[in-house]
Amino acid sequence: MLYIIGLGLGDERDITLKGLDAIKKCSKVYIEAYTSLLSFGISTNGVSTLESLYGKPVTVADREMVEEKSDDILLEARDSDVAFLVVGDPFGATTHSDLVVRAKKLEVGVKVIHNASVMNAIGVCGLQLYRYGETVSIPFFTETWRPDSFYEKIQKNRALGLHTLCLLDIRVKEPTLESLCRGKKQYEPPRYMSINTAIEQLLEVEQIRGGSAYMEDSTCVGLARLGSEDQMVVAGSMKQLLMVDFGPPLHCLVIVGKTHPVEEEMLDFYTVAGNPDQSKE
């Protein structure tokens, strides 16, 4: 059996009892280490923390292992119970759906154990989950690559009065361009997009597109380290949030659509002083 187990968003204690029971009976435990991040990181110390709780070794599975060598993991699961740990919920990233498809093609049994993810924890800011439109991802811009396909999705959400959750880029174990040219992989240091960088890029795209999907006075909510003891939630205009230090990763951003009075009351708890009123129903 392959157990795909959500770890939640905070630290090692966020795992469910059902997930912990499954891990304890597995002969091999992998943790996926590139779509998200626990509060203590997926470093040597972080893995040691998990190993102490589980009482067994944990193997870090990077992007290459999961996307190129997943069949090796699945073949192990044919003969024994294998745990594949995912920060957040197992289906918070499409890679994990692909793993299930591969497992079923190999006739490997799969059991999924769910947990909290950014997709539901985002509700802490008070914006109601059923009033969100399509979620978008904001990638890091480079000098030669500045993709903006997210713009139309935000514009459509805003036209419908819906909120937009922006998931911000994570760059872990990315090969350098120079090393790819040489044929010997060397990796860039990990990078995690901040709310500030995301807003700068969003405003750059708006200036180029000129479609009035949002502007520097548009109300947003910046959220950092959701689910952790030191999580941070700040509401304000894009311009105001640019001035806020949100601290360590992970960050995400919500562009606010039309709001219900109950949502407005909740947002007031997090609003920067002097923020212009958000659009109301």
Side-chain angles (χ1 to χ4, degrees), residues 125-128 131 163 219 221 235 256-271 275-281:
C125 71
L127 298 175
Q128 296 163 4
R131 299 171 65 85
H163 315 309
T219 299
V221 185
V256 179
K258 289 184 179 179
T259 50
H260 183 276
V262 175
E263 292 178 305
E264 292 159 19
E265 284 188 286
M266 281 289 288
L267 278 184
D268 282 344
F269 290 116
Y270 304 113
T271 299
N275 180 47
D277 288 342
Q278 58 268 22
S279 55
K280 300 177 172 65
E281 289 185 322

PDB file of all heavy atoms in Angstrom, residues 125-128 131 163 219 221 235 256-271 275-281:
ATOM      1  N   CYS A 125      -8.518  34.743   7.391  1.00  0.00           N
ATOM      2  CA  CYS A 125      -8.599  36.200   7.210  1.00  0.00           C
ATOM      3  C   CYS A 125     -10.035  36.700   7.207  1.00  0.00           C
ATOM      4  O   CYS A 125     -10.266  37.917   7.231  1.00  0.00           O
ATOM      5  CB  CYS A 125      -7.884  36.621   5.928  1.00  0.00           C
ATOM      6  SG  CYS A 125      -8.721  36.155   4.404  1.00  0.00           S
ATOM      7  N   GLY A 126     -11.007  35.772   7.159  1.00  0.00           N
ATOM      8  CA  GLY A 126     -12.404  36.177   7.232  1.00  0.00           C
ATOM      9  C   GLY A 126     -13.123  36.217   5.904  1.00  0.00           C
ATOM     10  O   GLY A 126     -14.354  36.367   5.869  1.00  0.00           O
ATOM     11  N   LEU A 127     -12.401  36.093   4.801  1.00  0.00           N
ATOM     12  CA  LEU A 127     -13.046  36.036   3.490  1.00  0.00           C
ATOM     13  C   LEU A 127     -13.575  34.624   3.279  1.00  0.00           C
ATOM     14  O   LEU A 127     -12.842  33.646   3.430  1.00  0.00           O
ATOM     15  CB  LEU A 127     -12.049  36.412   2.391  1.00  0.00           C
ATOM     16  CG  LEU A 127     -11.480  37.833   2.490  1.00  0.00           C
ATOM     17  CD1 LEU A 127     -10.421  38.051   1.425  1.00  0.00           C
ATOM     18  CD2 LEU A 127     -12.580  38.881   2.370  1.00  0.00           C
ATOM     19  N   GLN A 128     -14.849  34.513   2.949  1.00  0.00           N
ATOM     20  CA  GLN A 128     -15.509  33.213   2.923  1.00  0.00           C
ATOM     21  C   GLN A 128     -15.038  32.370   1.742  1.00  0.00           C
ATOM     22  O   GLN A 128     -14.930  32.864   0.610  1.00  0.00           O
ATOM     23  CB  GLN A 128     -17.017  33.425   2.911  1.00  0.00           C
ATOM     24  CG  GLN A 128     -17.500  34.107   4.198  1.00  0.00           C
ATOM     25  CD  GLN A 128     -18.882  34.711   4.104  1.00  0.00           C
ATOM     26  OE1 GLN A 128     -19.566  34.575   3.095  1.00  0.00           O
ATOM     27  NE2 GLN A 128     -19.299  35.398   5.152  1.00  0.00           N
ATOM     28  N   ARG A 131     -16.527  32.248  -1.764  1.00  0.00           N
ATOM     29  CA  ARG A 131     -16.549  33.491  -2.526  1.00  0.00           C
ATOM     30  C   ARG A 131     -15.211  33.741  -3.242  1.00  0.00           C
ATOM     31  O   ARG A 131     -14.916  34.858  -3.654  1.00  0.00           O
ATOM     32  CB  ARG A 131     -16.887  34.658  -1.600  1.00  0.00           C
ATOM     33  CG  ARG A 131     -18.271  34.516  -0.954  1.00  0.00           C
ATOM     34  CD  ARG A 131     -18.500  35.572   0.119  1.00  0.00           C
ATOM     35  NE  ARG A 131     -18.527  36.910  -0.452  1.00  0.00           N
ATOM     36  CZ  ARG A 131     -19.607  37.488  -0.980  1.00  0.00           C
ATOM     37  NH1 ARG A 131     -20.746  36.809  -1.042  1.00  0.00           N
ATOM     38  NH2 ARG A 131     -19.548  38.703  -1.453  1.00  0.00           N
ATOM     39  N   HIS A 163     -12.943  36.796  -4.800  1.00  0.00           N
ATOM     40  CA  HIS A 163     -11.586  36.946  -4.287  1.00  0.00           C
ATOM     41  C   HIS A 163     -10.636  36.044  -5.074  1.00  0.00           C
ATOM     42  O   HIS A 163     -11.044  35.008  -5.613  1.00  0.00           O
ATOM     43  CB  HIS A 163     -11.524  36.574  -2.808  1.00  0.00           C
ATOM     44  CG  HIS A 163     -12.626  37.144  -1.978  1.00  0.00           C
ATOM     45  ND1 HIS A 163     -12.956  38.478  -1.995  1.00  0.00           N
ATOM     46  CD2 HIS A 163     -13.497  36.543  -1.102  1.00  0.00           C
ATOM     47  CE1 HIS A 163     -13.968  38.695  -1.163  1.00  0.00           C
ATOM     48  NE2 HIS A 163     -14.315  37.533  -0.616  1.00  0.00           N
ATOM     49  N   THR A 219      -7.636  46.501  -2.433  1.00  0.00           N
ATOM     50  CA  THR A 219      -7.476  45.835  -1.132  1.00  0.00           C
ATOM     51  C   THR A 219      -6.996  44.399  -1.314  1.00  0.00           C
ATOM     52  O   THR A 219      -7.528  43.651  -2.138  1.00  0.00           O
ATOM     53  CB  THR A 219      -8.802  45.833  -0.356  1.00  0.00           C
ATOM     54  OG1 THR A 219      -9.200  47.175  -0.129  1.00  0.00           O
ATOM     55  CG2 THR A 219      -8.652  45.125   0.982  1.00  0.00           C
ATOM     56  N   VAL A 221      -4.994  40.944   1.032  1.00  0.00           N
ATOM     57  CA  VAL A 221      -4.612  40.386   2.331  1.00  0.00           C
ATOM     58  C   VAL A 221      -3.330  39.598   2.128  1.00  0.00           C
ATOM     59  O   VAL A 221      -3.266  38.704   1.271  1.00  0.00           O
ATOM     60  CB  VAL A 221      -5.702  39.465   2.908  1.00  0.00           C
ATOM     61  CG1 VAL A 221      -5.309  39.009   4.315  1.00  0.00           C
ATOM     62  CG2 VAL A 221      -7.056  40.154   2.940  1.00  0.00           C
ATOM     63  N   ALA A 235      -4.223  43.059   6.217  1.00  0.00           N
ATOM     64  CA  ALA A 235      -5.057  43.543   5.114  1.00  0.00           C
ATOM     65  C   ALA A 235      -4.741  45.012   4.852  1.00  0.00           C
ATOM     66  O   ALA A 235      -4.474  45.785   5.777  1.00  0.00           O
ATOM     67  CB  ALA A 235      -6.536  43.382   5.459  1.00  0.00           C
ATOM     68  N   VAL A 256      -8.739  41.006  -2.942  1.00  0.00           N
ATOM     69  CA  VAL A 256     -10.113  40.979  -2.440  1.00  0.00           C
ATOM     70  C   VAL A 256     -11.097  41.433  -3.519  1.00  0.00           C
ATOM     71  O   VAL A 256     -10.874  42.421  -4.220  1.00  0.00           O
ATOM     72  CB  VAL A 256     -10.242  41.873  -1.189  1.00  0.00           C
ATOM     73  CG1 VAL A 256     -11.673  41.883  -0.665  1.00  0.00           C
ATOM     74  CG2 VAL A 256      -9.267  41.396  -0.110  1.00  0.00           C
ATOM     75  N   GLY A 257     -12.207  40.687  -3.643  1.00  0.00           N
ATOM     76  CA  GLY A 257     -13.288  41.076  -4.543  1.00  0.00           C
ATOM     77  C   GLY A 257     -14.339  41.876  -3.781  1.00  0.00           C
ATOM     78  O   GLY A 257     -14.010  42.617  -2.849  1.00  0.00           O
ATOM     79  N   LYS A 258     -15.603  41.717  -4.132  1.00  0.00           N
ATOM     80  CA  LYS A 258     -16.680  42.362  -3.380  1.00  0.00           C
ATOM     81  C   LYS A 258     -16.842  41.646  -2.046  1.00  0.00           C
ATOM     82  O   LYS A 258     -16.692  40.435  -1.957  1.00  0.00           O
ATOM     83  CB  LYS A 258     -17.980  42.319  -4.177  1.00  0.00           C
ATOM     84  CG  LYS A 258     -17.966  43.232  -5.388  1.00  0.00           C
ATOM     85  CD  LYS A 258     -19.313  43.232  -6.091  1.00  0.00           C
ATOM     86  CE  LYS A 258     -19.298  44.179  -7.290  1.00  0.00           C
ATOM     87  NZ  LYS A 258     -20.599  44.181  -8.017  1.00  0.00           N
ATOM     88  N   THR A 259     -17.151  42.409  -1.015  1.00  0.00           N
ATOM     89  CA  THR A 259     -17.194  41.825   0.321  1.00  0.00           C
ATOM     90  C   THR A 259     -18.580  41.902   0.945  1.00  0.00           C
ATOM     91  O   THR A 259     -19.350  42.835   0.715  1.00  0.00           O
ATOM     92  CB  THR A 259     -16.194  42.537   1.256  1.00  0.00           C
ATOM     93  OG1 THR A 259     -16.388  43.948   1.153  1.00  0.00           O
ATOM     94  CG2 THR A 259     -14.775  42.188   0.890  1.00  0.00           C
ATOM     95  N   HIS A 260     -18.866  40.910   1.749  1.00  0.00           N
ATOM     96  CA  HIS A 260     -20.083  40.817   2.549  1.00  0.00           C
ATOM     97  C   HIS A 260     -19.804  41.521   3.882  1.00  0.00           C
ATOM     98  O   HIS A 260     -18.656  41.557   4.351  1.00  0.00           O
ATOM     99  CB  HIS A 260     -20.403  39.332   2.759  1.00  0.00           C
ATOM    100  CG  HIS A 260     -21.664  39.071   3.508  1.00  0.00           C
ATOM    101  ND1 HIS A 260     -21.728  39.082   4.891  1.00  0.00           N
ATOM    102  CD2 HIS A 260     -22.917  38.788   3.070  1.00  0.00           C
ATOM    103  CE1 HIS A 260     -22.968  38.806   5.268  1.00  0.00           C
ATOM    104  NE2 HIS A 260     -23.706  38.624   4.181  1.00  0.00           N
ATOM    105  N   PRO A 261     -20.823  42.082   4.535  1.00  0.00           N
ATOM    106  CA  PRO A 261     -20.588  42.763   5.820  1.00  0.00           C
ATOM    107  C   PRO A 261     -19.851  41.925   6.858  1.00  0.00           C
ATOM    108  O   PRO A 261     -19.025  42.454   7.612  1.00  0.00           O
ATOM    109  CB  PRO A 261     -22.003  43.118   6.286  1.00  0.00           C
ATOM    110  CG  PRO A 261     -22.770  43.316   5.012  1.00  0.00           C
ATOM    111  CD  PRO A 261     -22.215  42.288   4.061  1.00  0.00           C
ATOM    112  N   VAL A 262     -20.146  40.631   6.905  1.00  0.00           N
ATOM    113  CA  VAL A 262     -19.441  39.773   7.872  1.00  0.00           C
ATOM    114  C   VAL A 262     -17.961  39.680   7.516  1.00  0.00           C
ATOM    115  O   VAL A 262     -17.086  39.695   8.403  1.00  0.00           O
ATOM    116  CB  VAL A 262     -20.081  38.367   7.918  1.00  0.00           C
ATOM    117  CG1 VAL A 262     -19.264  37.444   8.833  1.00  0.00           C
ATOM    118  CG2 VAL A 262     -21.521  38.433   8.409  1.00  0.00           C
ATOM    119  N   GLU A 263     -17.656  39.591   6.225  1.00  0.00           N
ATOM    120  CA  GLU A 263     -16.263  39.565   5.792  1.00  0.00           C
ATOM    121  C   GLU A 263     -15.555  40.867   6.181  1.00  0.00           C
ATOM    122  O   GLU A 263     -14.395  40.853   6.620  1.00  0.00           O
ATOM    123  CB  GLU A 263     -16.179  39.369   4.275  1.00  0.00           C
ATOM    124  CG  GLU A 263     -16.630  37.997   3.799  1.00  0.00           C
ATOM    125  CD  GLU A 263     -16.582  37.872   2.286  1.00  0.00           C
ATOM    126  OE1 GLU A 263     -17.204  38.709   1.597  1.00  0.00           O
ATOM    127  OE2 GLU A 263     -15.919  36.945   1.790  1.00  0.00           O
ATOM    128  N   GLU A 264     -16.251  41.976   6.014  1.00  0.00           N
ATOM    129  CA  GLU A 264     -15.660  43.275   6.339  1.00  0.00           C
ATOM    130  C   GLU A 264     -15.322  43.376   7.821  1.00  0.00           C
ATOM    131  O   GLU A 264     -14.270  43.915   8.196  1.00  0.00           O
ATOM    132  CB  GLU A 264     -16.619  44.395   5.932  1.00  0.00           C
ATOM    133  CG  GLU A 264     -16.782  44.528   4.427  1.00  0.00           C
ATOM    134  CD  GLU A 264     -18.048  45.249   4.029  1.00  0.00           C
ATOM    135  OE1 GLU A 264     -18.621  45.960   4.894  1.00  0.00           O
ATOM    136  OE2 GLU A 264     -18.480  45.109   2.880  1.00  0.00           O
ATOM    137  N   GLU A 265     -16.206  42.836   8.671  1.00  0.00           N
ATOM    138  CA  GLU A 265     -15.932  42.865  10.109  1.00  0.00           C
ATOM    139  C   GLU A 265     -14.667  42.090  10.448  1.00  0.00           C
ATOM    140  O   GLU A 265     -13.856  42.522  11.265  1.00  0.00           O
ATOM    141  CB  GLU A 265     -17.125  42.283  10.873  1.00  0.00           C
ATOM    142  CG  GLU A 265     -18.317  43.218  10.971  1.00  0.00           C
ATOM    143  CD  GLU A 265     -19.374  42.666  11.895  1.00  0.00           C
ATOM    144  OE1 GLU A 265     -20.074  41.708  11.501  1.00  0.00           O
ATOM    145  OE2 GLU A 265     -19.487  43.175  13.032  1.00  0.00           O
ATOM    146  N   MET A 266     -14.508  40.937   9.807  1.00  0.00           N
ATOM    147  CA  MET A 266     -13.305  40.139  10.049  1.00  0.00           C
ATOM    148  C   MET A 266     -12.058  40.833   9.517  1.00  0.00           C
ATOM    149  O   MET A 266     -11.019  40.880  10.184  1.00  0.00           O
ATOM    150  CB  MET A 266     -13.461  38.757   9.397  1.00  0.00           C
ATOM    151  CG  MET A 266     -14.304  37.787  10.200  1.00  0.00           C
ATOM    152  SD  MET A 266     -13.462  37.213  11.702  1.00  0.00           S
ATOM    153  CE  MET A 266     -12.215  36.129  11.014  1.00  0.00           C
ATOM    154  N   LEU A 267     -12.151  41.399   8.312  1.00  0.00           N
ATOM    155  CA  LEU A 267     -10.997  42.084   7.721  1.00  0.00           C
ATOM    156  C   LEU A 267     -10.529  43.255   8.577  1.00  0.00           C
ATOM    157  O   LEU A 267      -9.338  43.575   8.616  1.00  0.00           O
ATOM    158  CB  LEU A 267     -11.323  42.578   6.312  1.00  0.00           C
ATOM    159  CG  LEU A 267     -11.229  41.574   5.167  1.00  0.00           C
ATOM    160  CD1 LEU A 267     -11.489  42.278   3.839  1.00  0.00           C
ATOM    161  CD2 LEU A 267      -9.881  40.872   5.124  1.00  0.00           C
ATOM    162  N   ASP A 268     -11.490  43.891   9.268  1.00  0.00           N
ATOM    163  CA  ASP A 268     -11.136  45.033  10.117  1.00  0.00           C
ATOM    164  C   ASP A 268     -10.102  44.675  11.178  1.00  0.00           C
ATOM    165  O   ASP A 268      -9.295  45.511  11.587  1.00  0.00           O
ATOM    166  CB  ASP A 268     -12.389  45.600  10.802  1.00  0.00           C
ATOM    167  CG  ASP A 268     -13.226  46.453   9.865  1.00  0.00           C
ATOM    168  OD1 ASP A 268     -12.703  46.858   8.798  1.00  0.00           O
ATOM    169  OD2 ASP A 268     -14.406  46.708  10.184  1.00  0.00           O
ATOM    170  N   PHE A 269     -10.120  43.411  11.641  1.00  0.00           N
ATOM    171  CA  PHE A 269      -9.159  42.989  12.663  1.00  0.00           C
ATOM    172  C   PHE A 269      -7.722  43.015  12.143  1.00  0.00           C
ATOM    173  O   PHE A 269      -6.771  43.121  12.906  1.00  0.00           O
ATOM    174  CB  PHE A 269      -9.474  41.573  13.153  1.00  0.00           C
ATOM    175  CG  PHE A 269     -10.733  41.478  13.962  1.00  0.00           C
ATOM    176  CD1 PHE A 269     -11.818  40.733  13.497  1.00  0.00           C
ATOM    177  CD2 PHE A 269     -10.857  42.115  15.185  1.00  0.00           C
ATOM    178  CE1 PHE A 269     -12.987  40.642  14.237  1.00  0.00           C
ATOM    179  CE2 PHE A 269     -12.022  42.024  15.936  1.00  0.00           C
ATOM    180  CZ  PHE A 269     -13.085  41.287  15.452  1.00  0.00           C
ATOM    181  N   TYR A 270      -7.582  42.906  10.823  1.00  0.00           N
ATOM    182  CA  TYR A 270      -6.255  42.763  10.222  1.00  0.00           C
ATOM    183  C   TYR A 270      -5.830  43.972   9.398  1.00  0.00           C
ATOM    184  O   TYR A 270      -4.729  43.991   8.848  1.00  0.00           O
ATOM    185  CB  TYR A 270      -6.233  41.529   9.305  1.00  0.00           C
ATOM    186  CG  TYR A 270      -6.641  40.255   9.980  1.00  0.00           C
ATOM    187  CD1 TYR A 270      -7.820  39.588   9.626  1.00  0.00           C
ATOM    188  CD2 TYR A 270      -5.855  39.695  10.985  1.00  0.00           C
ATOM    189  CE1 TYR A 270      -8.194  38.408  10.239  1.00  0.00           C
ATOM    190  CE2 TYR A 270      -6.218  38.517  11.612  1.00  0.00           C
ATOM    191  CZ  TYR A 270      -7.398  37.876  11.232  1.00  0.00           C
ATOM    192  OH  TYR A 270      -7.767  36.714  11.852  1.00  0.00           O
ATOM    193  N   THR A 271      -6.687  44.984   9.313  1.00  0.00           N
ATOM    194  CA  THR A 271      -6.452  46.065   8.368  1.00  0.00           C
ATOM    195  C   THR A 271      -5.426  47.076   8.863  1.00  0.00           C
ATOM    196  O   THR A 271      -5.461  47.508  10.019  1.00  0.00           O
ATOM    197  CB  THR A 271      -7.782  46.782   8.051  1.00  0.00           C
ATOM    198  OG1 THR A 271      -8.680  45.847   7.451  1.00  0.00           O
ATOM    199  CG2 THR A 271      -7.565  47.934   7.086  1.00  0.00           C
ATOM    200  N   ASN A 275      -6.315  52.266   5.544  1.00  0.00           N
ATOM    201  CA  ASN A 275      -6.617  51.601   4.286  1.00  0.00           C
ATOM    202  C   ASN A 275      -7.956  52.068   3.739  1.00  0.00           C
ATOM    203  O   ASN A 275      -8.955  52.128   4.471  1.00  0.00           O
ATOM    204  CB  ASN A 275      -6.675  50.087   4.508  1.00  0.00           C
ATOM    205  CG  ASN A 275      -6.983  49.320   3.226  1.00  0.00           C
ATOM    206  OD1 ASN A 275      -6.387  49.570   2.207  1.00  0.00           O
ATOM    207  ND2 ASN A 275      -7.939  48.424   3.311  1.00  0.00           N
ATOM    208  N   PRO A 276      -8.045  52.416   2.430  1.00  0.00           N
ATOM    209  CA  PRO A 276      -9.326  52.802   1.872  1.00  0.00           C
ATOM    210  C   PRO A 276     -10.304  51.649   1.932  1.00  0.00           C
ATOM    211  O   PRO A 276      -9.908  50.483   1.929  1.00  0.00           O
ATOM    212  CB  PRO A 276      -8.978  53.164   0.413  1.00  0.00           C
ATOM    213  CG  PRO A 276      -7.669  52.489   0.151  1.00  0.00           C
ATOM    214  CD  PRO A 276      -6.964  52.435   1.458  1.00  0.00           C
ATOM    215  N   ASP A 277     -11.601  51.969   1.985  1.00  0.00           N
ATOM    216  CA  ASP A 277     -12.608  50.911   2.062  1.00  0.00           C
ATOM    217  C   ASP A 277     -12.499  49.954   0.892  1.00  0.00           C
ATOM    218  O   ASP A 277     -12.309  50.372  -0.245  1.00  0.00           O
ATOM    219  CB  ASP A 277     -14.027  51.529   2.071  1.00  0.00           C
ATOM    220  CG  ASP A 277     -14.334  52.223   3.386  1.00  0.00           C
ATOM    221  OD1 ASP A 277     -13.634  51.955   4.388  1.00  0.00           O
ATOM    222  OD2 ASP A 277     -15.242  53.053   3.383  1.00  0.00           O
ATOM    223  N   GLN A 278     -12.632  48.647   1.198  1.00  0.00           N
ATOM    224  CA  GLN A 278     -12.693  47.679   0.126  1.00  0.00           C
ATOM    225  C   GLN A 278     -14.052  47.775  -0.558  1.00  0.00           C
ATOM    226  O   GLN A 278     -14.987  48.295  -0.011  1.00  0.00           O
ATOM    227  CB  GLN A 278     -12.457  46.248   0.661  1.00  0.00           C
ATOM    228  CG  GLN A 278     -13.427  45.797   1.720  1.00  0.00           C
ATOM    229  CD  GLN A 278     -12.905  46.090   3.120  1.00  0.00           C
ATOM    230  OE1 GLN A 278     -12.046  46.948   3.318  1.00  0.00           O
ATOM    231  NE2 GLN A 278     -13.447  45.402   4.093  1.00  0.00           N
ATOM    232  N   SER A 279     -14.130  47.246  -1.799  1.00  0.00           N
ATOM    233  CA  SER A 279     -15.402  47.311  -2.519  1.00  0.00           C
ATOM    234  C   SER A 279     -16.442  46.486  -1.797  1.00  0.00           C
ATOM    235  O   SER A 279     -16.169  45.409  -1.300  1.00  0.00           O
ATOM    236  CB  SER A 279     -15.212  46.772  -3.946  1.00  0.00           C
ATOM    237  OG  SER A 279     -14.659  45.471  -3.936  1.00  0.00           O
ATOM    238  N   LYS A 280     -17.637  47.004  -1.693  1.00  0.00           N
ATOM    239  CA  LYS A 280     -18.706  46.373  -0.911  1.00  0.00           C
ATOM    240  C   LYS A 280     -19.864  45.995  -1.824  1.00  0.00           C
ATOM    241  O   LYS A 280     -20.057  46.540  -2.883  1.00  0.00           O
ATOM    242  CB  LYS A 280     -19.207  47.327   0.188  1.00  0.00           C
ATOM    243  CG  LYS A 280     -18.134  47.745   1.200  1.00  0.00           C
ATOM    244  CD  LYS A 280     -18.692  48.736   2.190  1.00  0.00           C
ATOM    245  CE  LYS A 280     -17.698  49.017   3.310  1.00  0.00           C
ATOM    246  NZ  LYS A 280     -16.495  49.674   2.872  1.00  0.00           N
ATOM    247  N   GLU A 281     -20.672  45.047  -1.319  1.00  0.00           N
ATOM    248  CA  GLU A 281     -21.885  44.679  -2.034  1.00  0.00           C
ATOM    249  C   GLU A 281     -22.953  45.719  -1.761  1.00  0.00           C
ATOM    250  O   GLU A 281     -23.022  46.296  -0.694  1.00  0.00           O
ATOM    251  CB  GLU A 281     -22.377  43.301  -1.585  1.00  0.00           C
ATOM    252  CG  GLU A 281     -21.496  42.160  -2.070  1.00  0.00           C
ATOM    253  CD  GLU A 281     -22.088  40.817  -1.715  1.00  0.00           C
ATOM    254  OE1 GLU A 281     -22.664  40.682  -0.626  1.00  0.00           O
ATOM    255  OE2 GLU A 281     -21.966  39.911  -2.539  1.00  0.00           O
TER     256      GLU A 281
END
